[in-house]
Amino acid sequence: MPVFPLGAHVDDDGARFAVASTSADAVEVCLVDGPDGDLSERRFELTERTFGVWHGTVPGVRPGQRYGYRVHGPYRPWDGVRANPAKILVDPYAEQITGRVTDLAAARGWCDDPMTGPPSTVDSLGSVPLSVVTAPLSVAPRTRPDVPWSETVIQELHVRGYTKRHPEVPPEHRGTYLGLAHPAVIEHLRRIGVTAVELLPVAAIADEPSLLERGKPNYWGYSTLGFMAPHGGYASVPGAELTEFRTMVDALHAAGIEVILDMVPNHTCEGGVGGTTLSYRGLDARAYYSLGGNGYDADITGCGNTLDSGSPTVIRLICDALRHWVTAFGVDGFRIDLASVLGRPRSGAFDPHASLLTAIAIDPVLSTCKLIAEPWDATGEGYRVGGFGVAWSEWNGRYRDAVRDFWRGHGRIGELASRVTGSSDIYALSGRRPWASVNFVTAHDGFTLRDLVSYEHKHNEANGEDNRDGTDDNRSQNFGVEGETTSPVIRARRLATARAMLATLLLSTGTPMLVGGDERWRTQGGNNNAYCLDDETSWVDWSPGDGTAAELTAFTARVAELRRSHPDLHRDRFFADTEASWWHPSGRLMENGDWHDFGARSVGLLVNDGLLVLHADGAAAAYTLPPGGRFRPVLDSSVADGVPVSMRSLPGGTTITLPPYSVLLMRRQA
């Protein structure tokens, strides 16, 4: 029988099973039947072994059959070999996974001590997730929106949290794939100019050991169990996640919105050596994980383990998984979490041409998708903003820091200017375009936009880690009061600054990324790492409230429309020297010394027929328009809806007053 493809595949005779393990002495596929709490299994030994792959056919198996693997072989933790047939293992190639870890002790492969103790003899069946045999999926239609990068506006969102409280979504669909497919949700996305949703992880999730011990979930989902299976917890009907996920993709595509998945091919849910044995560790830890000395995991992810991006087993799995999401479900691209890990085989030095990064970039299917790297990991060696190959766009952390610093009155204005015009200093030399810079001010990790202007310190006590988790480098401001306030003055300043940052983001050259709920003035109460809070802390509030959410949504929609309608605001190429110029508030061109003035709080960018003025100070200030032509205001971020009080055109050389914390966009007329 054929060795490939890996996984479980039904045919007329039953199902073909194939799983990779170079360290096993024997592998059994176990068919599981019966209701939860009274499971039974039938074991079939896979007698064929080719190229390190165990394979065989089991007659009579049909779609819907639950199964797992049991691996027999050496147990030498100090050597990274942890075969333990008492643990039933999920198939890395499973296209559907059911169940969850209900007994942490049973899920562990060791007793007493993970390195020196004996293997656990507790059978994990009934306490851990199982794989499910699926029917062959038809190839997804190739009629994707194919939005050009230069016209792309991304919103990062959580499938569950985005619609869990949405009043127009039927209760049974809230927090599910079908909830995100609801017309009211899609219309909102279209209104604020979103052309692509970037979904926090939707590949099958299992809570990591540290959260299981605290009784908390991994709400964000950066704890992958199966790289090919949609997470069952986001289905409105148990077991219907494959069809519902595809329905969601089709609905978004019909509205012209692309689907980008946040994938986590840098670590798994099993944690470090003291963690669980759910799949990879029990199958072949040395083939999947980067191991340090004495069998310990090399942890450059901060999550306990690191997938070895130099392993052929890992390269095959990740490429096959990404390709599966494209061909079976029609997704349009991927954001790769901690992508620097993929360029560090065996956790070594970073190489942008490393095997896994190259394999993805040249794959005939994946190379046609949008590829976004999070260009860092948990170490200094991994911080590689600008260091990826030409096929990759990147989350630009330098953009985030520069914009936050400017609007809180810190940093050099020269750094802001480089980021607002597309970061050519970072991306042009490699031959990439401005859209390679995925610009963002907020993301899922860190403060929301509202909290960014309301808190100067994190407040993560609800996570159960004594407020030690989450970054301390927030670059935020609270305008004199930590947290919520009834002061109308402080609230007005916060909203003005938030609007200014939104306008800066959407009017900058590059690919803007919004965060779901920021446009609705969402707060997490100062929690900057709400990864384990599946509650109102993390869910988007769609209630009318005091009207602020509606106003901010309208403002976001207006700025997005201005971006869409003005070619210079979604450029495909970097500015030539003759196309853009920077203007001092006194009405002259910026000079070399101006860029190093740490007290400078106002600057103007003149591009062809548009003038963008940014003023980051709590006091109003004078600004003299550049000479020549007339300038008509089209956006004033100091106004709640962004519509200038007066759209009367003004002659060049006129001195105007910039409101506190404001962005002004003007069109130049001959």
Side-chain angles (χ1 to χ4, degrees), residues 455-466:
Y455 296 88
E456 292 187 1
H457 307 284
K458 64 187 181 185
H459 297 268
N460 299 356
E461 290 80 6
N463 298 355
E465 300 180 42
D466 298 323

Side-chain angles (χ1 to χ4, degrees), residues 2-13:
V3 180
F4 302 109
L6 296 175
H9 300 272
V10 293
D11 55 26
D12 292 341
D13 299 323

Side-chain angles (χ1 to χ4, degrees), residues 214-514:
R214 303 207 309 271
K216 289 185 175 294
N218 191 311
Y219 168 73
W220 284 351
Y222 293 92
S223 188
T224 306
L225 173 59
F227 291 97
M228 292 190 173
H231 184 56
Y234 301 149
S236 66
V237 176
E241 58 266 26
L242 278 71
T243 56
E244 291 192 11
F245 184 89
R246 191 155 170 175
T247 297
M248 175 196 70
V249 173
D250 290 345
L252 289 163
H253 280 182
I257 298 173
E258 295 181 310
V259 178
I260 298 171
L261 303 188
D262 194 337
M263 297 293 288
V264 194
N266 59 77
H267 74 282
T268 76
C269 64
E270 292 184 314
V273 295
T276 53
T277 299
L278 302 178
S279 179
Y280 310 93
R281 178 167 286 123
L283 282 167
D284 196 350
R286 291 188 299 190
Y288 284 105
Y289 293 127
S290 177
L291 301 181
N294 301 322
Y296 283 93
D297 289 279
D299 182 11
I300 63 172
T301 65
C303 300
N305 64 56
T306 302
L307 286 171
D308 182 7
S309 63
S311 165
T313 301
V314 172
I315 294 171
R316 179 191 301 154
L317 170 64
I318 299 307
C319 289
D320 286 351
L322 298 181
R323 200 180 306 110
H324 174 71
W325 288 101
V326 177
T327 58
F329 298 108
V331 304
D332 305 279
F334 303 95
R335 179 265 190 187
I336 303 298
D337 178 65
L338 302 184
S340 294
V341 173
L342 278 62
R344 301 182 62 183
R346 293 165 293 283
S347 299
F350 178 79
D351 178 3
H353 306 297
S355 301
L356 182 49
L357 289 175
T358 300
I360 294 171
I362 67 174
D363 184 276
V365 172
L366 302 179
S367 61
T368 67
C369 298
K370 286 184 166 72
L371 299 175
I372 303 172
E374 182 185 36
W376 50 77
D377 56 32
T379 72
E381 166 66 22
Y383 188 80
R384 295 290 168 170
V385 173
F388 280 71
V390 294
W392 295 87
S393 294
E394 299 175 8
W395 272 26
N396 189 347
R398 290 181 60 180
Y399 179 94
R400 171 200 59 206
D401 295 346
V403 171
R404 288 188 178 194
D405 280 346
F406 177 74
W407 288 108
R408 69 188 181 109
H410 290 67
R412 293 186 304 107
I413 205 165
E415 175 70 6
L416 176 78
S418 296
R419 303 305 141 238
V420 167
T421 52
S423 297
S424 61
D425 56 328
I426 299 177
Y427 298 107
L429 187 61
S430 65
R432 287 186 278 181
R433 303 284 185 88
W435 40 258
S437 176
V438 176
N439 300 330
F440 66 105
V441 177
T442 57
H444 66 274
D445 53 345
F447 283 147
T448 65
L449 181 64
R450 178 174 177 174
D451 291 353
L452 191 63
V453 294
S454 303
Y455 296 88
E456 292 187 1
H457 307 284
K458 64 187 181 185
H459 297 268
N460 299 356
E461 290 80 6
N463 298 355
E465 300 180 42
D466 298 323
N467 207 35
R468 295 188 303 269
D469 62 304
T471 184
D472 293 313
D473 183 21
N474 295 298
R475 305 185 188 221
S476 58
Q477 57 184 326
N478 64 17
F479 294 91
V481 175
E482 185 74 354
E484 297 302 310
T485 179
T486 58
S487 167
V489 173
I490 294 176
R491 293 181 66 182
R493 288 178 177 173
R494 289 175 175 178
L495 275 164
T497 307
R499 289 193 299 268
M501 285 193 282
L502 274 173
T504 304
L505 174 63
L506 285 168
L507 301 179
S508 292
T509 303
T511 303
M513 185 187 79
L514 305 164

Side-chain angles (χ1 to χ4, degrees), residues 33 60 77-78 80 89 98 160 177 212 219 235 257 330 351 355 378 500 528 623 626 649:
D33 301 297
W78 57 90
L89 307 175
T98 185
R160 178 170 168 82
Y177 300 123
L212 289 168
Y219 168 73
I257 298 173
D351 178 3
S355 301
N528 73 356
Y623 187 90
S649 64

Side-chain angles (χ1 to χ4, degrees), residues 108-144:
R108 284 176 165 145
W110 50 273
C111 286
D112 302 328
D113 185 275
M115 297 304 295
T116 62
S120 167
T121 58
V122 177
D123 196 315
S124 64
L125 179 63
S127 302
V128 297
L130 294 167
S131 314
V132 179
V133 177
T134 60
L137 290 171
S138 60
V139 176
R142 295 293 293 177
T143 53
R144 300 191 307 220

